[in-house]
Short mmCIF file of all heavy atoms in Angstrom, two decimals:
data_model
loop_
_atom_site.label_atom_id
_atom_site.label_comp_id
_atom_site.label_asym_id
_atom_site.label_seq_id
_atom_site.Cartn_x
_atom_site.Cartn_y
_atom_site.Cartn_z
N MET A 27 -6.40 6.31 6.76
CA MET A 27 -5.09 5.87 7.21
C MET A 27 -5.09 4.42 7.58
O MET A 27 -5.97 3.95 8.29
CB MET A 27 -4.73 6.73 8.50
CG MET A 27 -3.37 6.46 9.03
SD MET A 27 -2.03 7.31 8.31
CE MET A 27 -2.65 8.86 7.85
N ARG A 28 -4.20 3.67 6.94
CA ARG A 28 -4.16 2.19 7.18
C ARG A 28 -3.32 1.93 8.40
O ARG A 28 -2.23 2.43 8.62
CB ARG A 28 -3.50 1.60 5.98
CG ARG A 28 -3.81 0.14 5.79
CD ARG A 28 -3.41 -0.35 4.45
NE ARG A 28 -2.21 -1.14 4.64
CZ ARG A 28 -1.50 -1.67 3.70
NH1 ARG A 28 -1.77 -1.39 2.48
NH2 ARG A 28 -0.46 -2.43 3.99
N GLU A 29 -3.79 1.00 9.23
CA GLU A 29 -3.10 0.67 10.44
C GLU A 29 -2.41 -0.70 10.32
O GLU A 29 -2.89 -1.59 9.62
CB GLU A 29 -4.04 0.59 11.63
CG GLU A 29 -4.77 1.87 11.97
CD GLU A 29 -3.87 2.86 12.62
OE1 GLU A 29 -3.00 2.50 13.38
OE2 GLU A 29 -4.00 4.06 12.29
N HIS A 30 -1.19 -0.84 10.87
CA HIS A 30 -0.48 -2.11 10.90
C HIS A 30 -0.37 -2.59 12.31
O HIS A 30 0.53 -2.26 13.08
CB HIS A 30 0.92 -1.88 10.29
CG HIS A 30 0.96 -1.44 8.90
ND1 HIS A 30 0.65 -2.28 7.88
CD2 HIS A 30 1.25 -0.27 8.29
CE1 HIS A 30 0.76 -1.68 6.74
NE2 HIS A 30 1.11 -0.40 6.97
N ARG A 31 -1.29 -3.44 12.67
CA ARG A 31 -1.31 -4.04 14.04
C ARG A 31 -1.17 -3.00 15.14
O ARG A 31 -0.33 -3.11 16.01
CB ARG A 31 -0.21 -5.09 14.17
CG ARG A 31 -0.39 -6.26 13.29
CD ARG A 31 0.66 -7.31 13.50
NE ARG A 31 0.55 -8.35 12.56
CZ ARG A 31 1.40 -9.34 12.41
NH1 ARG A 31 2.41 -9.40 13.22
NH2 ARG A 31 1.25 -10.27 11.52
N GLY A 32 -1.91 -1.94 15.00
CA GLY A 32 -1.96 -0.92 16.08
C GLY A 32 -0.85 0.15 15.93
O GLY A 32 -0.76 1.06 16.72
N VAL A 33 -0.03 0.10 14.84
CA VAL A 33 0.99 1.03 14.64
C VAL A 33 0.72 1.83 13.36
O VAL A 33 0.44 1.24 12.34
CB VAL A 33 2.42 0.35 14.49
CG1 VAL A 33 3.47 1.39 14.24
CG2 VAL A 33 2.71 -0.47 15.73
N SER A 34 0.71 3.15 13.43
CA SER A 34 0.41 3.97 12.29
C SER A 34 1.55 4.05 11.36
O SER A 34 2.70 3.79 11.70
CB SER A 34 -0.08 5.35 12.77
OG SER A 34 1.07 6.06 13.29
N ARG A 35 1.22 4.49 10.16
CA ARG A 35 2.32 4.60 9.13
C ARG A 35 3.30 5.66 9.50
O ARG A 35 4.53 5.62 9.27
CB ARG A 35 1.68 4.99 7.78
CG ARG A 35 2.65 5.12 6.64
CD ARG A 35 1.95 5.32 5.31
NE ARG A 35 1.17 4.19 4.92
CZ ARG A 35 1.65 3.12 4.26
NH1 ARG A 35 2.90 3.14 3.92
NH2 ARG A 35 0.83 2.16 3.93
N GLU A 36 2.88 6.76 10.19
CA GLU A 36 3.81 7.79 10.64
C GLU A 36 4.77 7.24 11.69
O GLU A 36 5.93 7.61 11.66
CB GLU A 36 2.97 8.99 11.20
CG GLU A 36 2.25 9.82 10.18
CD GLU A 36 0.90 9.16 9.82
OE1 GLU A 36 0.40 8.32 10.56
OE2 GLU A 36 0.35 9.54 8.75
N GLU A 37 4.31 6.41 12.57
CA GLU A 37 5.15 5.81 13.58
C GLU A 37 6.17 4.88 12.96
O GLU A 37 7.33 4.87 13.39
CB GLU A 37 4.32 5.07 14.62
CG GLU A 37 3.58 5.93 15.58
CD GLU A 37 2.54 5.21 16.40
OE1 GLU A 37 2.14 4.05 16.02
OE2 GLU A 37 2.25 5.73 17.46
N LEU A 38 5.82 4.15 11.92
CA LEU A 38 6.68 3.29 11.21
C LEU A 38 7.81 4.14 10.51
O LEU A 38 8.96 3.77 10.53
CB LEU A 38 6.00 2.45 10.19
CG LEU A 38 5.12 1.28 10.78
CD1 LEU A 38 4.32 0.63 9.64
CD2 LEU A 38 6.01 0.30 11.47
N GLN A 39 7.37 5.24 9.88
CA GLN A 39 8.32 6.06 9.20
C GLN A 39 9.27 6.74 10.19
O GLN A 39 10.46 6.86 9.93
CB GLN A 39 7.63 7.10 8.38
CG GLN A 39 6.94 6.56 7.15
CD GLN A 39 6.12 7.60 6.43
OE1 GLN A 39 5.79 8.67 6.93
NE2 GLN A 39 5.76 7.29 5.20
N GLN A 40 8.76 7.22 11.33
CA GLN A 40 9.59 7.81 12.32
C GLN A 40 10.58 6.88 12.92
O GLN A 40 11.76 7.18 13.10
CB GLN A 40 8.73 8.41 13.45
CG GLN A 40 9.51 9.19 14.44
CD GLN A 40 8.64 9.76 15.54
OE1 GLN A 40 7.44 9.46 15.58
NE2 GLN A 40 9.29 10.57 16.37
N SER A 41 10.21 5.59 13.15
CA SER A 41 11.08 4.64 13.70
C SER A 41 12.20 4.24 12.68
O SER A 41 13.32 3.97 13.07
CB SER A 41 10.34 3.36 14.19
OG SER A 41 9.73 2.74 13.12
N ALA A 42 11.84 4.24 11.38
CA ALA A 42 12.81 3.96 10.36
C ALA A 42 13.84 5.09 10.26
O ALA A 42 15.03 4.78 10.13
CB ALA A 42 12.13 3.77 8.99
N LEU A 43 13.40 6.27 10.44
CA LEU A 43 14.37 7.43 10.44
C LEU A 43 15.23 7.40 11.62
O LEU A 43 16.46 7.67 11.55
CB LEU A 43 13.57 8.74 10.38
CG LEU A 43 12.92 9.04 9.05
CD1 LEU A 43 12.04 10.38 9.17
CD2 LEU A 43 13.91 9.21 7.94
N VAL A 44 14.75 7.04 12.77
CA VAL A 44 15.57 6.95 13.95
C VAL A 44 16.58 5.80 13.83
O VAL A 44 17.78 5.98 14.15
CB VAL A 44 14.67 6.69 15.22
CG1 VAL A 44 15.54 6.30 16.42
CG2 VAL A 44 13.87 7.89 15.54
N ALA A 45 16.21 4.68 13.26
CA ALA A 45 17.14 3.57 13.01
C ALA A 45 18.27 3.98 12.06
O ALA A 45 19.40 3.67 12.29
CB ALA A 45 16.37 2.37 12.47
N VAL A 46 17.90 4.66 11.02
CA VAL A 46 18.93 5.08 10.08
C VAL A 46 19.88 6.13 10.68
O VAL A 46 21.06 6.09 10.50
CB VAL A 46 18.23 5.72 8.78
CG1 VAL A 46 19.24 6.45 7.93
CG2 VAL A 46 17.55 4.60 8.01
N ALA A 47 19.32 6.98 11.51
CA ALA A 47 20.17 7.98 12.18
C ALA A 47 21.16 7.34 13.16
O ALA A 47 22.32 7.68 13.20
CB ALA A 47 19.28 9.00 12.90
N VAL A 48 20.63 6.30 13.91
CA VAL A 48 21.49 5.60 14.86
C VAL A 48 22.63 4.85 14.09
O VAL A 48 23.77 4.92 14.55
CB VAL A 48 20.63 4.63 15.72
CG1 VAL A 48 21.58 3.65 16.47
CG2 VAL A 48 19.78 5.40 16.69
N LEU A 49 22.26 4.22 13.02
CA LEU A 49 23.28 3.48 12.22
C LEU A 49 24.32 4.45 11.63
O LEU A 49 25.51 4.17 11.62
CB LEU A 49 22.62 2.70 11.12
CG LEU A 49 21.83 1.46 11.52
CD1 LEU A 49 21.09 0.87 10.33
CD2 LEU A 49 22.82 0.42 12.11
N LEU A 50 23.84 5.59 11.17
CA LEU A 50 24.78 6.65 10.65
C LEU A 50 25.72 7.13 11.73
O LEU A 50 26.95 7.21 11.47
CB LEU A 50 23.99 7.80 10.04
CG LEU A 50 24.83 8.92 9.47
CD1 LEU A 50 25.54 8.39 8.22
CD2 LEU A 50 23.92 10.08 9.10
N VAL A 51 25.25 7.42 12.93
CA VAL A 51 26.08 7.92 13.97
C VAL A 51 27.06 6.87 14.36
O VAL A 51 28.28 7.15 14.58
CB VAL A 51 25.23 8.40 15.18
CG1 VAL A 51 26.05 8.63 16.38
CG2 VAL A 51 24.48 9.67 14.80
N LEU A 52 26.62 5.60 14.53
CA LEU A 52 27.55 4.53 14.90
C LEU A 52 28.60 4.35 13.86
O LEU A 52 29.78 4.07 14.21
CB LEU A 52 26.76 3.21 15.17
CG LEU A 52 26.00 3.10 16.45
CD1 LEU A 52 25.15 1.88 16.48
CD2 LEU A 52 26.94 3.17 17.60
N GLY A 53 28.24 4.36 12.60
CA GLY A 53 29.21 4.21 11.51
C GLY A 53 30.27 5.28 11.54
O GLY A 53 31.45 5.06 11.33
N VAL A 54 29.85 6.52 11.70
CA VAL A 54 30.77 7.69 11.74
C VAL A 54 31.71 7.54 12.96
O VAL A 54 32.94 7.80 12.89
CB VAL A 54 29.99 8.98 11.72
CG1 VAL A 54 30.94 10.16 12.04
CG2 VAL A 54 29.30 9.21 10.37
N VAL A 55 31.18 7.20 14.12
CA VAL A 55 32.00 7.03 15.28
C VAL A 55 33.02 5.92 15.12
O VAL A 55 34.20 6.08 15.44
CB VAL A 55 31.15 6.79 16.56
CG1 VAL A 55 31.97 6.30 17.76
CG2 VAL A 55 30.34 8.04 16.91
N ALA A 56 32.62 4.80 14.53
CA ALA A 56 33.58 3.72 14.34
C ALA A 56 34.64 4.13 13.33
O ALA A 56 35.80 3.78 13.48
CB ALA A 56 32.79 2.46 13.88
N ALA A 57 34.26 4.82 12.22
CA ALA A 57 35.24 5.20 11.23
C ALA A 57 36.18 6.31 11.76
O ALA A 57 37.33 6.36 11.37
CB ALA A 57 34.50 5.65 9.93
N TRP A 58 35.66 7.19 12.59
CA TRP A 58 36.41 8.29 13.09
C TRP A 58 37.66 7.86 13.83
O TRP A 58 38.72 8.49 13.70
CB TRP A 58 35.55 9.19 13.96
CG TRP A 58 36.22 10.46 14.30
CD1 TRP A 58 36.85 10.77 15.44
CD2 TRP A 58 36.31 11.67 13.50
NE1 TRP A 58 37.33 12.06 15.41
CE2 TRP A 58 36.96 12.61 14.23
CE3 TRP A 58 35.78 11.97 12.22
CZ2 TRP A 58 37.25 13.87 13.71
CZ3 TRP A 58 36.08 13.20 11.77
CH2 TRP A 58 36.78 14.13 12.46
N SER A 59 37.50 6.79 14.60
CA SER A 59 38.69 6.31 15.36
C SER A 59 39.84 5.91 14.51
O SER A 59 41.00 6.01 14.86
CB SER A 59 38.23 5.17 16.29
OG SER A 59 37.87 4.07 15.54
N VAL A 60 39.55 5.41 13.27
CA VAL A 60 40.58 4.99 12.37
C VAL A 60 41.10 6.21 11.59
O VAL A 60 42.31 6.27 11.27
CB VAL A 60 40.06 3.94 11.40
CG1 VAL A 60 41.10 3.56 10.33
CG2 VAL A 60 39.61 2.71 12.15
N LEU A 61 40.26 7.18 11.33
CA LEU A 61 40.63 8.32 10.50
C LEU A 61 41.25 9.44 11.21
O LEU A 61 41.58 10.46 10.65
CB LEU A 61 39.44 8.82 9.69
CG LEU A 61 38.95 7.83 8.60
CD1 LEU A 61 37.69 8.40 7.99
CD2 LEU A 61 39.93 7.59 7.56
N ILE A 62 41.45 9.32 12.57
CA ILE A 62 42.03 10.42 13.30
C ILE A 62 43.38 10.85 12.81
O ILE A 62 43.62 12.06 12.67
CB ILE A 62 42.01 10.10 14.84
CG1 ILE A 62 40.62 10.19 15.37
CG2 ILE A 62 42.97 11.03 15.62
CD1 ILE A 62 40.44 9.77 16.81
N PRO A 63 44.29 9.91 12.46
CA PRO A 63 45.62 10.34 11.94
C PRO A 63 45.47 11.12 10.63
O PRO A 63 46.30 11.93 10.29
CB PRO A 63 46.37 9.06 11.75
CG PRO A 63 45.70 8.08 12.61
CD PRO A 63 44.26 8.48 12.69
N GLY A 64 44.40 10.93 9.92
CA GLY A 64 44.22 11.63 8.63
C GLY A 64 43.76 10.68 7.55
O GLY A 64 43.82 9.47 7.68
N VAL A 65 43.30 11.23 6.49
CA VAL A 65 42.83 10.41 5.34
C VAL A 65 43.77 10.52 4.14
O VAL A 65 43.39 10.18 3.03
CB VAL A 65 41.41 10.84 4.91
CG1 VAL A 65 40.39 10.48 5.96
CG2 VAL A 65 41.37 12.28 4.52
N SER A 66 45.04 10.84 4.42
CA SER A 66 46.01 10.96 3.33
C SER A 66 46.34 9.56 2.72
O SER A 66 46.69 9.51 1.56
CB SER A 66 47.24 11.62 3.81
OG SER A 66 47.87 10.90 4.85
N ALA A 67 46.22 8.53 3.53
CA ALA A 67 46.57 7.18 3.00
C ALA A 67 45.30 6.46 2.67
O ALA A 67 44.33 6.43 3.51
CB ALA A 67 47.41 6.48 4.02
N TRP A 68 45.21 5.86 1.51
CA TRP A 68 44.02 5.10 1.10
C TRP A 68 43.73 3.95 2.05
O TRP A 68 42.58 3.59 2.22
CB TRP A 68 44.22 4.62 -0.29
CG TRP A 68 43.04 3.87 -0.86
CD1 TRP A 68 42.97 2.54 -1.15
CD2 TRP A 68 41.77 4.42 -1.19
NE1 TRP A 68 41.77 2.24 -1.65
CE2 TRP A 68 40.99 3.37 -1.64
CE3 TRP A 68 41.18 5.68 -1.06
CZ2 TRP A 68 39.67 3.53 -2.06
CZ3 TRP A 68 39.88 5.85 -1.47
CH2 TRP A 68 39.12 4.75 -1.95
N GLU A 69 44.77 3.38 2.63
CA GLU A 69 44.57 2.23 3.55
C GLU A 69 43.74 2.65 4.78
O GLU A 69 43.02 1.84 5.32
CB GLU A 69 45.94 1.67 4.00
CG GLU A 69 46.73 1.06 2.91
CD GLU A 69 47.51 2.05 2.12
OE1 GLU A 69 47.75 3.16 2.59
OE2 GLU A 69 47.91 1.76 1.00
N ASN A 70 43.87 3.85 5.19
CA ASN A 70 43.13 4.35 6.37
C ASN A 70 41.61 4.39 6.01
O ASN A 70 40.80 4.09 6.85
CB ASN A 70 43.53 5.78 6.75
CG ASN A 70 44.87 5.76 7.44
OD1 ASN A 70 45.42 4.72 7.75
ND2 ASN A 70 45.42 6.93 7.61
N VAL A 71 41.27 4.81 4.79
CA VAL A 71 39.86 4.88 4.41
C VAL A 71 39.27 3.47 4.34
O VAL A 71 38.19 3.23 4.83
CB VAL A 71 39.71 5.57 3.06
CG1 VAL A 71 38.30 5.52 2.55
CG2 VAL A 71 40.21 7.03 3.18
N ILE A 72 40.02 2.52 3.78
CA ILE A 72 39.52 1.15 3.67
C ILE A 72 39.35 0.57 5.12
O ILE A 72 38.36 -0.13 5.44
CB ILE A 72 40.46 0.28 2.87
CG1 ILE A 72 40.40 0.79 1.41
CG2 ILE A 72 40.11 -1.18 2.95
CD1 ILE A 72 41.40 0.15 0.50
N ALA A 73 40.30 0.77 5.99
CA ALA A 73 40.22 0.30 7.35
C ALA A 73 39.01 0.97 8.11
O ALA A 73 38.34 0.26 8.89
CB ALA A 73 41.48 0.56 8.12
N ALA A 74 38.75 2.23 7.79
CA ALA A 74 37.61 2.88 8.42
C ALA A 74 36.27 2.28 7.98
O ALA A 74 35.39 2.08 8.75
CB ALA A 74 37.68 4.38 8.07
N VAL A 75 36.19 1.96 6.67
CA VAL A 75 34.91 1.35 6.18
C VAL A 75 34.72 -0.02 6.80
O VAL A 75 33.64 -0.37 7.19
CB VAL A 75 34.99 1.30 4.63
CG1 VAL A 75 33.87 0.43 4.09
CG2 VAL A 75 34.93 2.66 4.03
N ILE A 76 35.80 -0.80 6.81
CA ILE A 76 35.70 -2.13 7.45
C ILE A 76 35.34 -2.06 8.91
O ILE A 76 34.45 -2.79 9.36
CB ILE A 76 37.02 -2.92 7.19
CG1 ILE A 76 37.19 -3.24 5.74
CG2 ILE A 76 37.07 -4.22 8.02
CD1 ILE A 76 38.53 -3.80 5.38
N GLY A 77 35.93 -1.20 9.64
CA GLY A 77 35.65 -0.97 11.05
C GLY A 77 34.21 -0.58 11.24
O GLY A 77 33.48 -0.98 12.18
N SER A 78 33.78 0.32 10.44
CA SER A 78 32.36 0.80 10.46
C SER A 78 31.36 -0.30 10.17
O SER A 78 30.33 -0.46 10.89
CB SER A 78 32.15 1.93 9.51
OG SER A 78 30.77 2.36 9.54
N LEU A 79 31.67 -1.14 9.21
CA LEU A 79 30.72 -2.23 8.86
C LEU A 79 30.74 -3.30 9.90
O LEU A 79 29.70 -3.94 10.14
CB LEU A 79 31.16 -2.81 7.55
CG LEU A 79 30.88 -2.03 6.32
CD1 LEU A 79 31.45 -2.65 5.04
CD2 LEU A 79 29.39 -1.71 6.19
N ARG A 80 31.83 -3.48 10.61
CA ARG A 80 31.87 -4.46 11.76
C ARG A 80 30.92 -4.07 12.86
O ARG A 80 30.39 -4.95 13.52
CB ARG A 80 33.28 -4.63 12.22
CG ARG A 80 34.14 -5.41 11.40
CD ARG A 80 35.48 -5.67 12.14
NE ARG A 80 36.38 -6.37 11.22
CZ ARG A 80 37.66 -6.41 11.33
NH1 ARG A 80 38.24 -5.68 12.37
NH2 ARG A 80 38.43 -7.08 10.54
N LEU A 81 30.77 -2.78 13.05
CA LEU A 81 29.87 -2.34 14.09
C LEU A 81 28.44 -2.17 13.66
O LEU A 81 27.50 -2.63 14.32
CB LEU A 81 30.36 -1.02 14.68
CG LEU A 81 29.51 -0.42 15.81
CD1 LEU A 81 29.59 -1.34 17.01
CD2 LEU A 81 30.03 0.97 16.15
N THR A 82 28.26 -1.54 12.49
CA THR A 82 26.86 -1.30 12.01
C THR A 82 26.17 -2.53 11.43
O THR A 82 24.93 -2.58 11.47
CB THR A 82 26.88 -0.17 11.01
OG1 THR A 82 27.69 -0.59 9.87
CG2 THR A 82 27.36 1.12 11.58
N GLY A 83 26.90 -3.52 11.02
CA GLY A 83 26.30 -4.74 10.52
C GLY A 83 25.41 -5.44 11.53
O GLY A 83 24.21 -5.67 11.28
N PRO A 84 26.00 -5.80 12.65
CA PRO A 84 25.11 -6.43 13.72
C PRO A 84 24.04 -5.53 14.24
O PRO A 84 22.96 -6.04 14.62
CB PRO A 84 26.15 -6.79 14.81
CG PRO A 84 27.46 -6.84 14.11
CD PRO A 84 27.39 -5.87 13.02
N VAL A 85 24.29 -4.23 14.34
CA VAL A 85 23.24 -3.34 14.81
C VAL A 85 22.08 -3.31 13.82
O VAL A 85 20.90 -3.29 14.22
CB VAL A 85 23.85 -1.87 15.05
CG1 VAL A 85 22.73 -0.92 15.39
CG2 VAL A 85 24.90 -2.00 16.13
N ALA A 86 22.39 -3.27 12.52
CA ALA A 86 21.31 -3.30 11.48
C ALA A 86 20.57 -4.59 11.59
O ALA A 86 19.33 -4.63 11.42
CB ALA A 86 21.94 -3.09 10.11
N ALA A 87 21.30 -5.70 11.81
CA ALA A 87 20.57 -7.01 11.95
C ALA A 87 19.68 -7.01 13.17
O ALA A 87 18.59 -7.55 13.11
CB ALA A 87 21.61 -8.16 12.01
N ALA A 88 20.13 -6.40 14.24
CA ALA A 88 19.27 -6.29 15.43
C ALA A 88 18.07 -5.45 15.22
O ALA A 88 16.92 -5.85 15.63
CB ALA A 88 20.11 -5.70 16.60
N PHE A 89 18.15 -4.35 14.49
CA PHE A 89 16.99 -3.57 14.15
C PHE A 89 16.06 -4.36 13.27
O PHE A 89 14.86 -4.32 13.44
CB PHE A 89 17.36 -2.25 13.38
CG PHE A 89 17.80 -1.16 14.31
CD1 PHE A 89 18.98 -0.45 14.14
CD2 PHE A 89 17.02 -0.80 15.35
CE1 PHE A 89 19.39 0.58 14.90
CE2 PHE A 89 17.34 0.28 16.18
CZ PHE A 89 18.52 0.94 15.94
N ALA A 90 16.57 -5.11 12.27
CA ALA A 90 15.75 -5.92 11.41
C ALA A 90 14.97 -7.01 12.17
O ALA A 90 13.84 -7.25 12.01
CB ALA A 90 16.56 -6.52 10.31
N GLY A 91 15.73 -7.62 13.09
CA GLY A 91 15.07 -8.67 13.95
C GLY A 91 13.99 -8.07 14.86
O GLY A 91 12.94 -8.67 15.05
N TRP A 92 14.27 -6.92 15.37
CA TRP A 92 13.29 -6.26 16.25
C TRP A 92 12.04 -5.89 15.47
O TRP A 92 10.92 -6.04 15.91
CB TRP A 92 13.95 -5.03 16.89
CG TRP A 92 13.08 -4.23 17.78
CD1 TRP A 92 12.31 -4.72 18.82
CD2 TRP A 92 12.82 -2.83 17.67
NE1 TRP A 92 11.67 -3.66 19.43
CE2 TRP A 92 11.97 -2.50 18.74
CE3 TRP A 92 13.31 -1.80 16.91
CZ2 TRP A 92 11.55 -1.22 18.99
CZ3 TRP A 92 12.88 -0.51 17.13
CH2 TRP A 92 12.01 -0.25 18.13
N LEU A 93 12.28 -5.45 14.24
CA LEU A 93 11.11 -5.07 13.39
C LEU A 93 10.32 -6.28 13.01
O LEU A 93 9.10 -6.29 12.96
CB LEU A 93 11.67 -4.39 12.11
CG LEU A 93 10.61 -3.90 11.17
CD1 LEU A 93 9.73 -2.88 11.80
CD2 LEU A 93 11.25 -3.35 9.87
N ALA A 94 11.03 -7.43 12.78
CA ALA A 94 10.29 -8.69 12.45
C ALA A 94 9.42 -9.21 13.60
O ALA A 94 8.40 -9.82 13.30
CB ALA A 94 11.30 -9.71 12.01
N VAL A 95 9.81 -8.94 14.76
CA VAL A 95 9.08 -9.39 15.96
C VAL A 95 7.80 -8.58 16.02
O VAL A 95 6.71 -9.06 16.19
CB VAL A 95 9.86 -9.27 17.27
CG1 VAL A 95 9.00 -9.50 18.49
CG2 VAL A 95 10.98 -10.19 17.22
#
C-alpha cells in the first residue's frame, strides 16, 4: 500500500466520495428552490442549473484548495 504523506489511498478515496456527495446535495438544494413551482417551463430548468452552479462552484474550489494544502 502506497502512502501519500501519511494519508492512505483509502482515506483519499473516502474523502473524494464525501466531497462529491456534499457537492451533489448542495447542487440539488440550490436547484430545488427554483424548481418548486415545477419544471414545465424550460426557463426554470436553466435558472436552476445557473443557481446550482453559483453555489457549487465556490464550494468545489474550496475543496480543491483544501486538497492542495
Side-chain angles (χ1 to χ4, degrees):
M27 183 82 36
R28 202 169 106 183
E29 298 288 325
H30 297 287
R31 295 184 186 174
V33 179
S34 69
R35 182 173 296 273
E36 289 82 18
E37 290 170 334
L38 288 173
Q39 289 175 344
Q40 184 179 8
S41 64
L43 289 174
V44 169
V46 168
V48 167
L49 287 172
L50 179 67
V51 168
L52 284 175
V54 168
V55 167
W58 189 262
S59 65
V60 175
L61 292 177
I62 286 176
V65 291
S66 60
W68 181 248
E69 294 83 19
N70 289 349
V71 174
I72 293 172
V75 169
I76 291 171
S78 177
L79 289 176
R80 282 187 185 159
L81 180 64
T82 58
V85 174
F89 277 130
W92 180 51
L93 182 62
V95 170

